[in-house]
Amino acid sequence: MANSKYEYVKSFEAEDKLLPNTWIVIKIGGHDFTRFSEVHEFMKPNDEQALNLMNSCAMAMLEEYPDMVLAYGFRDEYSFILKEASEFYQRRASKLVSVSVSFFSAVYVMKWKEFFPEKALKYPPSFDGQVFCCPSVKILKDYLMWRQADCHTGNQYNTCLWMLVKSGQTKQAAQNILEGTQKQEKNELLFQQFGINYDKLPIMFRKGSCVLRHKVEEIIKYNRSGDPVKRLRKKVMVGHFNLDSPNFWTKHPSLLDELGVPESHRETLSKVWSTKCENVKSFEVKNSLMPSTWVVVRIDGRHFHRFSEAHEFEKPNDEKALNLMNSCAAAVLEEFPDVVFSYGVSDEYSFVFKDGSQFCERYSSQIVSRVVSFFSSMYVMKWKEFFLQKELKYAPSFDGRAICYPSAEILQDYLAWRQVDCHINNQYNTCFWMLVKSGKAKSEAQHILKGTQTQEKEDLLLQQFGIVYNTLPVMFRKGSCVFSDKVEESMEENGGHPVEGYLEKVIVEHCDIIGSSFWDLHPSILSCNLSKHPSIF
């Protein structure tokens, strides 16, 4: 990022590094999936295709992130366990949860047609993220037992509920019948009224799904005699197990090695648990953001240099790629009313929540994960709107963080910092890619530009390429602002006569937000008059 006088705002970014030598668990859960499943007509109580889609996304996670060694999931949730010694993203909670939720969301949308070829995805799914730190093997197993117990309890209840509903009961009547019933009573209800032996139902419904790596023998080549040469390779698989059974752990010794479980503690995992495990909820890492502050969620494309090369984005700026980002940002403002403004450049976007927002009770992980998940899903869903002739080759992902700013003035400095960064980086990249396109090697172009100032770059563009920098598209030079504003539109009265009126709409503009003009024109965004900065453009 470029140097500027506004860089002091970086000091407001809080440290959120997780404790070392603990097992990190990232729990992802579908947001409002009751409605999502109804809109998409999932079968009740279990839709096998929907569950297999979740399993496929979990497999993609383990294939993408080597530090994830075990995943457990059911219904619309999945938990991913990292090895104890993991230094993935330097163990920063915001990075871990945002990247995980982002990639999972993008893969879910990309794989939808694979599992639902006859169903259109009607709106983007989104997922919440939570982080747990398990300091011991016992707590780690408690966590897994807690989730598998929840799977069993929820599935048994839902199986009874939906069988009663399908038999003619109203949903409310079915809930009344089941109120206060115990496990055995539910089993008897299913058997006596519907002839269902609960223990004979598919194990995936009753026990959930595990995703892990196991060693398989594969043919890697054939020798001169034509005989196969085989090697053991680790391959990601899905299985359905009783995690409380000693057999699961003894049959997967390589899993214990990957997790980093010491030999002296492995016996703990082989013991059968009979205690309640809800106490592990206290090991959730909850970072509550300071009240009455402006919350900014900044998301950045992960490895977007590689992503842009793989998808052949134009250099230094791909207008379609930028407009795709802008469209996703506009969708975020439409989805989350507490977001009052956003600013974006290249592969990043900053979303400003109003200072009184109580979104997600101001828990950092939930706020960041909800925004980055929705943005990632929307990015994949909208891809074809902007790239009709290009296939999306693999799932994009974004990392995110939440930062608190105590005043509107400091918030404006933050936004000024991002726009200054846009200006400096775009000017450099424009010079760099013009030099490369003229035949210079990348290293040579970097050497030519080393230490040059703004005026020198402008002179280079004009003298060597006939480009007046300030006439380049304003979106490239100043980035994009997304906010709600009153827009004049024609509307019809009851009599059918058109009348002019104003509607509140989310709009995208490309303007100077460092000077006072923009904020004076739109005082309602920050509810104050901020006119302290002169424009640099």
Side-chain angles (χ1 to χ4, degrees):
M1 293 182 180
N3 292 318
S4 73
K5 68 178 183 178
Y6 304 115
E7 287 214 343
Y8 80 92
V9 297
K10 289 195 288 187
S11 64
F12 289 89
E13 295 187 18
E15 178 67 49
D16 63 350
K17 193 170 183 177
L18 298 171
L19 284 173
N21 301 317
T22 57
W23 283 278
I24 297 170
V25 181
I26 299 166
K27 180 171 174 280
I28 294 174
H31 173 70
D32 199 8
F33 255 53
T34 301
R35 180 172 73 94
F36 185 85
S37 64
E38 288 174 356
V39 169
H40 292 94
E41 299 177 339
F42 285 0
M43 292 181 65
K44 303 293 185 182
N46 292 287
D47 189 301
E48 192 168 355
Q49 288 298 90
L51 293 174
N52 284 328
L53 170 55
M54 291 288 291
N55 294 341
S56 183
C57 294
M59 290 179 70
M61 291 279 281
L62 264 71
E63 289 162 354
E64 180 74 8
Y65 306 120
D67 278 17
M68 292 181 179
V69 295
L70 175 64
Y72 173 75
F74 62 98
R75 291 198 298 272
D76 61 353
E77 77 163 62
Y78 245 101
S79 297
F80 298 91
I81 301 171
L82 279 67
K83 59 187 180 184
E84 185 192 29
S86 174
E87 286 297 325
F88 185 41
Y89 267 118
Q90 294 80 50
R91 300 178 74 90
R92 287 180 288 174
S94 58
K95 294 279 190 177
L96 290 169
V97 74
S98 60
V99 166
S100 301
V101 169
S102 172
F103 184 75
F104 193 96
S105 303
V107 172
Y108 191 98
V109 177
M110 285 190 72
K111 286 179 174 283
W112 177 266
K113 277 296 179 186
E114 184 181 330
F115 293 88
F116 295 103
E118 306 301 324
K119 283 185 183 178
L121 185 58
K122 296 182 179 179
Y123 65 89
S126 61
F127 296 83
D128 292 310
Q130 297 166 269
V131 182
F132 294 78
C133 276
C134 300
S136 69
V137 173
K138 181 184 183 304
I139 299 300
L140 178 60
K141 189 171 182 184
D142 274 351
Y143 177 89
L144 291 168
M145 292 302 94
W146 170 47
R147 299 322 305 138
Q148 193 160 58
D150 211 34
C151 169
H152 163 72
T153 303
N155 183 66
Q156 189 185 46
Y157 179 91
N158 288 332
T159 303
C160 293
L161 175 75
W162 288 104
M163 289 307 299
L164 288 167
V165 169
K166 289 174 183 179
S167 72
Q169 299 283 352
T170 65
K171 197 171 181 180
Q172 184 60 58
Q175 289 169 340
N176 291 339
I177 291 169
L178 294 172
E179 187 176 359
T181 55
Q182 301 301 309
K183 174 183 174 180
Q184 188 57 40
E185 293 171 297
K186 293 186 182 76
N187 280 344
E188 289 173 1
L189 182 151
L190 287 171
F191 189 73
Q192 292 171 9
Q193 292 196 36
F194 307 107
I196 294 174
N197 182 339
Y198 181 78
D199 289 337
K200 299 295 184 183
L201 292 176
I203 190 171
M204 178 168 65
F205 301 166
R206 295 181 290 109
K207 298 290 185 182
S209 301
C210 292
V211 180
L212 63 155
R213 297 178 187 89
H214 72 137
K215 291 180 179 178
V216 294
E217 197 173 54
E218 288 187 343
I219 298 172
I220 59 168
K221 64 178 181 179
Y222 291 88
N223 61 24
R224 291 180 179 179
S225 304
D227 298 322
V229 178
K230 298 179 180 180
R231 293 285 188 274
L232 284 175
R233 296 276 178 87
K234 285 185 178 179
K235 201 167 186 179
V236 176
M237 60 159 281
V238 177
H240 314 290
F241 310 102
N242 179 3
L243 295 175
D244 203 18
S245 168
N247 290 336
F248 171 75
W249 301 100
T250 55
K251 285 182 178 179
H252 299 95
S254 61
L255 173 60
L256 299 177
D257 293 335
E258 283 193 275
L259 283 169
V261 179
E263 290 284 349
S264 58
H265 293 170
R266 295 188 178 189
E267 188 180 343
T268 303
L269 288 168
S270 300
K271 292 178 180 177
V272 177
W273 254 233
S274 59
T275 57
K276 292 185 177 180
C277 303
E278 288 89 347
N279 66 300
V280 295
K281 292 179 185 178
S282 62
F283 290 90
E284 181 183 354
V285 179
K286 283 189 172 184
N287 293 325
S288 184
L289 299 174
M290 187 179 293
S292 301
T293 57
W294 296 89
V295 174
V296 174
V297 173
R298 185 168 78 245
I299 67 172
D300 295 271
R302 181 175 181 266
H303 295 164
F304 254 55
H305 286 295
R306 179 168 65 91
F307 184 85
S308 64
E309 288 175 1
H311 293 91
E312 299 176 338
F313 285 0
E314 289 185 27
K315 301 293 184 181
N317 293 286
D318 189 300
E319 190 170 359
K320 290 179 181 178
L322 293 173
N323 282 327
L324 171 55
M325 292 286 291
N326 295 341
S327 182
C328 295
V332 169
L333 264 74
E334 290 164 353
E335 179 73 8
F336 305 113
D338 279 12
V339 179
V340 294
F341 183 80
S342 66
Y343 174 76
V345 53
S346 186
D347 62 351
E348 78 164 61
Y349 245 101
S350 296
F351 297 96
V352 179
F353 285 76
K354 60 187 179 184
D355 59 347
S357 173
Q358 291 301 314
F359 183 61
C360 293
E361 300 178 45
R362 297 182 74 89
Y363 285 124
S364 177
S365 292
Q366 281 90 329
I367 294 172
V368 173
S369 60
R370 283 281 301 283
V371 172
V372 78
S373 173
F374 183 82
F375 191 97
S376 303
S377 293
M378 190 60 77
Y379 192 97
V380 177
M381 285 190 72
K382 285 179 171 284
W383 176 267
K384 277 296 181 184
E385 286 182 33
F386 296 88
F387 295 103
L388 289 173
Q389 307 303 320
K390 284 184 183 179
E391 288 298 320
L392 185 58
K393 295 181 179 180
Y394 62 88
S397 62
F398 299 83
D399 66 65
R401 74 206 75 182
I403 314 118
C404 292
Y405 294 105
S407 70
E409 288 78 14
I410 296 174
L411 172 63
Q412 191 194 18
D413 278 354
Y414 168 83
L415 294 168
W417 171 49
R418 301 316 311 131
Q419 191 163 57
V420 169
D421 211 38
C422 168
H423 164 71
I424 295 173
N425 289 339
N426 183 68
Q427 191 183 51
Y428 178 94
N429 289 333
T430 303
C431 293
F432 175 81
W433 285 105
M434 289 307 298
L435 288 167
V436 170
K437 289 175 182 179
S438 72
K440 304 288 186 187
K442 287 184 178 180
S443 57
E444 190 178 358
Q446 289 169 341
H447 180 73
I448 291 169
L449 293 172
K450 187 176 181 180
T452 55
Q453 302 301 310
T454 296
Q455 189 58 52
E456 293 171 294
K457 293 186 184 76
E458 287 190 4
D459 292 343
L460 183 151
L461 287 172
L462 181 61
Q463 293 166 13
Q464 293 196 35
F465 306 107
I467 294 173
V468 178
Y469 180 77
N470 286 333
T471 64
L472 293 176
V474 67
M475 177 169 65
F476 302 166
R477 294 182 289 112
K478 296 186 180 181
S480 301
C481 303
V482 185
F483 56 97
S484 293
D485 200 10
K486 288 182 179 178
V487 178
E488 188 174 7
E489 285 198 356
S490 294
M491 297 176 288
E492 283 191 7
E493 285 188 326
N494 291 336
H497 301 292
V499 294
E500 295 299 317
Y502 288 90
L503 291 176
E504 192 84 12
K505 290 187 73 174
V506 174
I507 62 172
V508 179
E509 288 191 357
H510 316 290
C511 46
D512 174 15
I513 55 172
I514 298 175
S516 64
S517 299
F518 175 82
W519 303 108
D520 290 342
L521 280 171
H522 307 283
S524 62
I525 293 175
L526 302 182
S527 301
C528 59
N529 184 11
L530 299 171
S531 48
K532 56 182 273 192
H533 297 305
S535 174
I536 66 166
F537 297 108

